[in-house]
Amino acid sequence: MVMKSYILITYIIAIPWCAGGLLAQQNVGIGILAPTSRLDIRGDAASTQSILNAQTTYVGPTNVIAVNGYSTPQSGYGIGGSFTGGGTGAQGVVNSTATGTGIGLFGTAAGAGGNRIGVWGNSSGGTANYGVFGSASGGAGSYAVYGSNTNLAGYAGYFNGRGYFEEELRANKNLIVDLNAGIGTLTPTAKLNIIGGADASLTTNGFVQLGSSTSWNLLLDDNEILARNNGAGNDLFIQNDGGNVLMCASELGGVGIGLIAGTSLANGYIFCVDGKIIAEEMRIQNSTNWPDYVFQKNYDLMSLDELKESIETNQHLPNIPSAAEVENDGILVGDMQKKMMEKIEELTLYILDLNEANKKLQEEVDVLKVKVSQQ
């Protein structure tokens, strides 16, 4: 033991001094007999003391560097400091009562070209791996990781991969997504793809809610739109300030009112209503032949005797559907208006014929009255 101490002391004493510092032509070791670096310091296995302690004693408003590492063997190469630890590779602690900004670990990179990374973190092989980890316990104004870039052409943060947030994601300005955004899905197929919401109802809030739950709001789910007002149903306005509403514009599909989910719309119809309709005015644009043909001279008007026989046989007017047909099939409003007009025009012809016959009878009566008065 005495021999080892003697050799170490002799080695240190042999280092010559030079102006302004200590000059050593070989490796210097502290706590090791065979140093592998220009300065190799080893600790004591029985001691928890720091291996190297550098402390400045200058007092004043200047950022004095306690330890400075400099390595530039060639442009783009060199590591100023390398630290390896079983738990923490490098630790930065701010111990200050000043009200300014305290920085636990600071990295800067500058140059005229290439990529510059101020702080680089890399991890692998663990159960959970974090390249850079930040933790903050303060309230408003506290950020575990903070990035700043006032140039709007650049970005304060960059993620080459997915980002994960355990709590809310808040944007104080615009949130811009260049590709697709997914909620409830890792593979969105549209600009905004939402999967896994609730039904839109008076008590559940759908996939998307526009407005406050305690006032007017609009809900969307995967096949429903619902307007609410503080938990109750509300009016839904469409194109309230003008513009047309085009539904099934290509005549593919149909519109149903008063029909429950799963009900099939009547085949061949674009608009189906199960219930009553009230309107101040309705226009039927009928493209078929309007029954002015009744007044054509070649129209085959059924005689009153034939009409009587038809009614007694069929119990309804000719060319008018029976009660059973109407009950089963309903009526076509435009077609029925045409049939009714046909009957009105036929009735007009019957009245005109009766009027002509009545006029002849009246003439005969008048003649008979004259003869009677002359007797």
Side-chain angles (χ1 to χ4, degrees), residues 9 37 51 62 65 131 157 163 185 198 234 236 269 296 309 320 323 352:
I9 292 173
S37 303
I51 303 301
T62 302
I65 300 175
T185 175
N234 196 20
L236 175 63
Y269 297 89
Q296 299 293 326
E309 182 180 354
I320 296 295
L352 291 175

Side-chain angles (χ1 to χ4, degrees), residues 256-277:
I257 297 178
L259 305 177
I260 63 174
T263 301
S264 298
L265 274 63
N267 188 31
Y269 297 89
I270 200 170
F271 184 49
C272 299
V273 179
D274 186 1
K276 298 179 179 179
I277 299 175

